[in-house]
């Protein structure tokens, strides 16, 4: 099996981080998204929305969406769980993963796409919306800081996929000047701890 | 336990539909989101991003995010699975659920919020972006139509949460004039079948 991805993009990093945490080896094939390689008929056959990462199994079956790829491996290798074990834990981690994804990751992504015009050959950037999305991302950091005042990790007492999503978002946020504020000490404490994990470099 | 929700909003309908499919009874408490009741300190204590639905367990624990609420009940009551049983099925249903959510549900939601100014007291609507989001939703219907040419349901051979997300999105799409096109016969066939399920009226 192999994963089609782009090393510099924030979404594939979530999967690399997740697989490194679980010590799952993987072959990675680089796709030039800036040059539009993801828009080729071959890549669209793998993923109709033409995004990376894409996990391709040995029989040709493809699984798209970073979180869904992680879910596949979590189900196959439940050791060292990153998506919870009980129904309540699974739901709470899923919930935080989603809140971080919608409130932070996606807002930073929208800010990037709409402000910079990076993909302007294949979408309609609306600069004013990019600005709003960036401001929403900055507001969400405050929610995370409050959450981390009383919790070691975003979903509570255990490191999870929600932490991976958040740290990948924050690192990419630099590109659009979304930073942890000096007074967000709980968020900074958490960020330093997550970033120090060996898998963060995957 | 109970769910705080808003009967007219598209997201809570996903949970009602899901629970009705699994014959899980529930108490629903209506929240007036148009009047801003979701922004109250009590509701923010339940969900820091101030959205509905929120599932509140008898001990006060809250689970937010419609898909995460569904996941909780799927884990508790795996009979009549709507999120898959094998690792591959779970990943593929999750993937289609996400693609429909991002490509259709969210685009229709953004089109609504940014075009109509419905929440203009609590966000910055960007009308031009609303238009782009609506166009993206219409494009995604073509991907769904192609998918349904060779599959009975969105995720393949079984009815799943991906179908629920999609039909709730399409029904809400009327508000912003996103409709199935006359030539999208596969999508229409699927839409009629899903809409005829008794749980669609929940």
């Amino acid at each position: 099996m192999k994963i089609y991805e782009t090393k510099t993009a924030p979404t594939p990093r979530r999967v690399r981080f997740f697989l490194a945490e679980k010590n799952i080896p993987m072959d990675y094939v680089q796709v030039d998204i800036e040059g539009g390689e993801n828009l080729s008929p071959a890549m669209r056959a793998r993923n109709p929305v033409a995004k990376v990462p894409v996990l391709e199994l040995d029989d040709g079956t493809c699984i798209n969406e970073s979180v869904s790829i992680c879910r596949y491996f979590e189900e196959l290798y439940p050791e060292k769980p990153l998506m919870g074990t009980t129904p309540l834990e699974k739901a709470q981690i899923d919930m935080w993963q989603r809140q971080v994804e919608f409130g932070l990751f996606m807002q930073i992504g929208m800010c990037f796409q709409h402000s910079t015009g990076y993909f302007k050959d294949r979408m309609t950037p609306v600069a004013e919306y990019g600005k709003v999305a960036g401001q929403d991302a900055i507001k969400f950091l405050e929610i995370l800081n409050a959450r981390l005042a009383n919790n070691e990790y975003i979903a509570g007492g255990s490191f999870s996929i929600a932490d991976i999503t958040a740290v990948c978002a924050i690192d990419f946020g630099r590109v659009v000047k979304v930073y942890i504020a000096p007074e967000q000490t709980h968020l900074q404490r958490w960020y330093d701890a997550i970033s120090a994990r060996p898998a963060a470099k995957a």
Side-chain angles (χ1 to χ4, degrees), chain A residues 47-61:
Chain A
N47 184 354
V49 299
K51 290 183 180 165
V52 289
V54 174
L55 168 67
E56 188 174 67
L57 305 182
D58 290 341
D59 69 356
T61 301

Side-chain angles (χ1 to χ4, degrees), chain A residues 38-197:
Chain A
N38 55 310
L39 305 174
S40 69
M43 285 304 295
R44 280 194 194 274
R46 294 185 181 101
N47 184 354
V49 299
K51 290 183 180 165
V52 289
V54 174
L55 168 67
E56 188 174 67
L57 305 182
D58 290 341
D59 69 356
T61 301
C62 288
I63 301 172
N64 309 310
E65 293 296 324
S66 52
V67 174
S68 311
I69 295 171
C70 293
R71 190 172 303 284
Y72 178 67
F73 288 108
E74 178 84 355
E75 291 287 336
L76 277 182
Y77 307 109
E79 309 83 45
K80 195 174 175 185
L82 296 174
M83 300 175 92
T85 50
T86 66
L88 182 59
E89 266 181 19
K90 287 183 182 184
Q92 288 180 317
I93 290 172
D94 197 63
M95 165 193 132
W96 279 105
Q97 200 295 124
R98 286 172 60 89
Q99 293 209 337
V100 170
E101 190 162 51
F102 299 149
L104 188 66
F105 201 105
M106 202 165 282
Q107 302 311 317
I108 288 171
M110 289 296 97
C111 181
F112 172 72
Q113 293 187 13
H114 287 273
S115 308
T116 66
Y118 189 83
F119 291 129
K120 66 178 183 300
D121 58 328
R122 64 195 86 163
M123 63 173 283
T124 308
V126 181
E128 190 187 349
Y129 174 65
K131 197 174 158 187
V132 169
Q135 289 163 346
D136 284 349
I138 289 168
K139 281 182 210 159
F140 192 83
L141 291 181
E142 195 47 54
I143 290 175
L144 274 190
N145 187 57
R147 171 74 183 164
L148 291 163
N150 301 307
N151 293 278
E152 185 172 357
Y153 298 103
I154 291 175
S158 304
F159 174 76
S160 76
I161 191 173
D163 299 296
I164 294 176
T165 299
V167 91
C168 291
I170 290 172
D171 281 340
F172 190 66
R174 288 178 199 144
V175 177
V176 288
K177 301 196 166 82
V178 170
Y179 301 110
I180 298 172
E183 64 274 20
Q184 292 171 335
T185 53
H186 309 298
L187 183 55
Q188 188 66 54
R189 180 267 309 157
W190 162 90
Y191 175 83
D192 292 342
I194 306 302
S195 300
R197 298 176 76 95

